[in-house]
Coordinates of all heavy atoms in Angstrom, one line a residue:
A1 N 11.7 231.9 144.7 CA 13.0 231.8 145.3 C 12.9 232.7 146.5 O 12.8 233.9 146.4 CB 14.1 232.3 144.3
H2 N 13.0 232.1 147.7 CA 12.7 232.8 148.9 C 13.7 233.9 149.2 O 13.3 235.1 149.5 CB 12.6 231.9 150.1 CG 12.1 232.5 151.3 ND1 12.6 232.2 152.6 CD2 11.2 233.5 151.6 CE1 12.0 232.9 153.5 NE2 11.2 233.8 152.9
Q3 N 15.0 233.6 149.2 CA 16.0 234.6 149.6 C 17.0 234.8 148.4 O 17.0 234.0 147.5 CB 16.7 234.1 150.8 CG 15.9 233.8 152.0 CD 15.3 235.1 152.7 OE1 15.5 236.2 152.2 NE2 14.5 234.9 153.7
E4 N 17.8 235.9 148.5 CA 18.7 236.1 147.4 C 19.7 234.9 147.2 O 20.1 234.7 146.1 CB 19.5 237.4 147.7 CG 18.6 238.6 147.6 CD 19.4 239.9 147.5 OE1 20.7 239.9 147.7 OE2 18.8 241.0 147.3
I5 N 20.0 234.2 148.3 CA 20.9 233.0 148.2 C 20.2 231.9 147.3 O 20.9 231.1 146.8 CB 21.2 232.5 149.6 CG1 22.4 231.5 149.5 CG2 20.0 231.8 150.2 CD1 22.8 231.1 150.9
D6 N 18.9 232.0 147.1 CA 18.2 231.0 146.3 C 18.1 231.2 144.8 O 17.4 230.5 144.1 CB 16.8 230.8 146.9 CG 16.8 230.3 148.4 OD1 17.6 229.4 148.7 OD2 16.1 230.9 149.2
I7 N 18.8 232.2 144.4 CA 18.7 232.6 142.9 C 20.0 233.1 142.5 O 20.8 233.8 143.2 CB 17.6 233.6 142.7 CG1 17.3 233.9 141.2 CG2 17.8 234.9 143.5 CD1 16.1 234.7 141.0
K8 N 20.4 232.8 141.2 CA 21.7 233.1 140.7 C 21.9 234.7 140.6 O 22.9 235.2 140.9 CB 22.0 232.4 139.4 CG 23.3 232.7 138.8 CD 24.4 231.9 139.6 CE 25.8 231.9 138.9 NZ 26.7 231.2 139.7
N9 N 20.9 235.3 140.0 CA 21.0 236.7 139.7 C 19.9 237.5 140.4 O 18.9 237.9 139.7 CB 20.9 236.9 138.2 CG 22.1 236.2 137.5 OD1 23.3 236.5 137.8 ND2 21.8 235.4 136.5
P10 N 20.0 237.7 141.7 CA 18.8 238.4 142.4 C 18.5 239.8 141.9 O 17.4 240.2 141.7 CB 19.3 238.4 143.8 CG 20.7 238.1 143.8 CD 21.0 237.3 142.6
A11 N 19.6 240.6 141.6 CA 19.3 242.0 141.3 C 18.5 242.1 140.0 O 17.5 242.9 139.9 CB 20.6 242.7 141.2
S12 N 18.9 241.3 139.0 CA 18.2 241.5 137.7 C 16.9 240.8 137.6 O 16.1 241.0 136.7 CB 19.1 240.9 136.5 OG 19.4 239.5 136.8
N13 N 16.5 240.0 138.6 CA 15.3 239.3 138.7 C 14.3 239.9 139.7 O 13.2 239.3 139.9 CB 15.5 237.8 139.0 CG 15.9 237.1 137.7 OD1 15.2 236.9 136.8 ND2 17.2 236.6 137.8
H14 N 14.6 241.0 140.3 CA 13.9 241.4 141.5 C 12.4 241.6 141.3 O 11.6 241.3 142.2 CB 14.5 242.8 142.0 CG 13.9 243.2 143.2 ND1 14.0 244.5 143.7 CD2 13.1 242.6 144.2 CE1 13.3 244.7 144.8 NE2 12.8 243.6 145.1
H15 N 12.0 242.0 140.1 CA 10.6 242.2 139.9 C 10.0 241.2 138.9 O 8.9 241.4 138.4 CB 10.3 243.6 139.3 CG 10.7 244.7 140.3 ND1 10.1 244.9 141.5 CD2 11.7 245.6 140.3 CE1 10.7 245.9 142.2 NE2 11.7 246.3 141.4
N16 N 10.7 240.1 138.7 CA 10.2 239.0 137.8 C 9.4 238.0 138.6 O 9.5 237.9 139.8 CB 11.4 238.3 137.2 CG 12.0 239.2 136.1 OD1 11.4 240.1 135.6 ND2 13.3 238.9 135.7
P17 N 8.4 237.3 137.9 CA 7.6 236.3 138.5 C 8.5 235.3 139.3 O 9.5 234.8 138.7 CB 6.9 235.6 137.4 CG 6.9 236.6 136.3 CD 8.2 237.4 136.4
G18 N 8.2 235.0 140.5 CA 8.9 234.1 141.3 C 10.0 234.7 142.2 O 10.6 234.1 143.1
F19 N 10.2 236.0 142.0 CA 11.1 236.7 142.9 C 10.7 238.2 143.2 O 11.5 239.1 143.5 CB 12.5 236.7 142.3 CG 13.7 237.0 143.3 CD1 13.8 236.1 144.4 CD2 14.5 238.1 143.1 CE1 14.9 236.4 145.3 CE2 15.5 238.4 144.1 CZ 15.7 237.5 145.1
T20 N 9.4 238.3 143.2 CA 8.9 239.6 143.7 C 8.8 239.7 145.2 O 8.8 238.7 145.9 CB 7.4 239.9 143.1 OG1 6.6 238.9 143.7 CG2 7.4 239.8 141.6
D21 N 8.8 240.9 145.7 CA 8.7 241.1 147.2 C 7.4 240.4 147.7 O 7.4 239.9 148.8 CB 8.7 242.6 147.5 CG 10.0 243.2 147.2 OD1 11.1 242.5 147.1 OD2 10.1 244.5 147.1
E22 N 6.4 240.5 146.9 CA 5.1 240.0 147.3 C 5.1 238.4 147.5 O 4.7 237.9 148.5 CB 4.0 240.3 146.4 CG 3.6 241.8 146.3 CD 4.5 242.6 145.3 OE1 5.5 242.1 144.8 OE2 4.0 243.7 144.9
E23 N 5.7 237.8 146.5 CA 5.8 236.3 146.6 C 6.7 235.8 147.7 O 6.4 234.9 148.4 CB 6.2 235.8 145.2 CG 5.2 236.0 144.1 CD 5.9 235.8 142.7 OE1 6.9 236.5 142.4 OE2 5.3 235.1 141.9
R24 N 7.8 236.5 147.8 CA 8.8 236.1 148.8 C 8.2 236.4 150.2 O 8.4 235.6 151.1 CB 10.1 236.9 148.6 CG 10.8 236.6 147.3 CD 11.9 237.5 147.0 NE 13.0 237.5 148.0 CZ 13.9 238.5 148.1 NH1 13.9 239.5 147.3 NH2 14.8 238.4 149.0
G25 N 7.4 237.5 150.3 CA 6.7 237.8 151.5 C 5.8 236.7 152.0 O 5.6 236.4 153.1
K26 N 5.1 236.1 151.0 CA 4.1 235.0 151.3 C 4.8 233.8 151.8 O 4.3 233.1 152.6 CB 3.2 234.7 150.1 CG 2.2 235.8 149.8 CD 1.2 236.1 150.9 CE 0.2 237.2 150.5 NZ -0.6 237.6 151.7
M27 N 6.0 233.5 151.2 CA 6.7 232.3 151.7 C 7.2 232.6 153.2 O 7.1 231.7 154.0 CB 7.9 232.1 150.8 CG 8.9 231.0 151.3 SD 8.1 229.3 151.6 CE 8.3 228.7 149.9
T28 N 7.6 233.8 153.4 CA 8.0 234.2 154.8 C 6.8 234.0 155.7 O 6.9 233.4 156.8 CB 8.5 235.6 154.9 OG1 9.7 235.7 154.0 CG2 8.8 236.0 156.3
E29 N 5.6 234.4 155.3 CA 4.4 234.3 156.1 C 4.1 232.8 156.4 O 3.8 232.4 157.5 CB 3.2 234.9 155.5 CG 3.1 236.4 155.5 CD 1.8 236.9 154.9 OE1 0.8 236.5 155.4 OE2 1.9 237.7 154.0
L30 N 4.3 232.0 155.4 CA 4.0 230.5 155.6 C 5.0 229.9 156.6 O 4.6 229.2 157.5 CB 4.1 229.8 154.2 CG 3.9 228.3 154.2 CD1 2.6 227.9 154.8 CD2 4.1 227.7 152.8
L31 N 6.3 230.3 156.4 CA 7.3 229.7 157.4 C 7.0 230.3 158.8 O 7.1 229.5 159.7 CB 8.7 230.1 156.9 CG 9.1 229.5 155.5 CD1 10.5 230.0 155.1 CD2 9.2 228.0 155.6
D32 N 6.7 231.5 158.9 CA 6.5 232.1 160.2 C 5.2 231.6 160.9 O 5.1 231.6 162.1 CB 6.3 233.7 160.1 CG 7.7 234.4 159.8 OD1 8.7 233.7 159.9 OD2 7.6 235.6 159.5
S33 N 4.3 231.0 160.1 CA 3.1 230.4 160.7 C 3.4 229.1 161.3 O 2.5 228.5 161.9 CB 2.0 230.3 159.6 OG 2.2 229.2 158.7
G34 N 4.6 228.5 161.1 CA 4.9 227.3 161.8 C 5.6 226.2 161.0 O 5.5 225.0 161.3
F35 N 6.2 226.6 159.9 CA 6.9 225.6 159.0 C 8.4 226.0 158.8 O 8.8 227.1 159.1 CB 6.2 225.6 157.6 CG 4.8 225.0 157.7 CD1 3.7 225.7 158.0 CD2 4.7 223.6 157.4 CE1 2.5 225.1 158.1 CE2 3.5 223.0 157.5 CZ 2.3 223.7 157.8
V36 N 9.1 224.9 158.4 CA 10.6 225.0 158.3 C 11.0 224.6 156.9 O 10.5 223.6 156.4 CB 11.2 224.1 159.3 CG1 12.8 224.1 159.1 CG2 10.8 224.4 160.7
D37 N 11.8 225.4 156.3 CA 12.4 225.1 155.0 C 13.6 224.1 155.2 O 14.6 224.4 155.8 CB 12.9 226.3 154.3 CG 13.7 226.1 153.0 OD1 14.0 225.0 152.6 OD2 14.0 227.1 152.3
T38 N 13.4 222.8 154.9 CA 14.3 221.8 155.3 C 15.7 221.9 154.7 O 16.7 221.6 155.4 CB 13.7 220.4 155.0 OG1 13.5 220.2 153.6 CG2 12.4 220.1 155.8
F39 N 15.7 222.4 153.5 CA 17.1 222.5 152.9 C 17.9 223.6 153.6 O 19.1 223.4 153.9 CB 17.0 222.9 151.4 CG 18.3 222.9 150.7 CD1 18.9 221.7 150.3 CD2 18.9 224.1 150.5 CE1 20.2 221.8 149.7 CE2 20.2 224.2 149.9 CZ 20.8 223.0 149.5

């Protein structure tokens, strides 16, 4: 889930698989490399 808007309970899931800073950072890197999240 890339941003807090993409998950129901961001605070309680912050360090859970799929919502770690590391994973979200990799999605940011992918988008910044030249891609767009269409939704």
Side-chain angles (χ1 to χ4, degrees):
H2 185 217
Q3 304 288 0
E4 290 195 351
I5 194 174
D6 298 314
I7 186 170
K8 184 69 171 183
N9 298 303
S12 61
N13 281 294
H14 184 197
H15 298 294
N16 287 339
F19 200 60
T20 63
D21 292 341
E22 293 89 341
E23 292 161 311
R24 295 167 66 195
K26 289 299 180 188
M27 175 60 89
T28 299
E29 283 185 57
L30 177 59
L31 296 174
D32 287 350
S33 75
F35 287 87
V36 177
D37 176 350
T38 58
F39 185 79

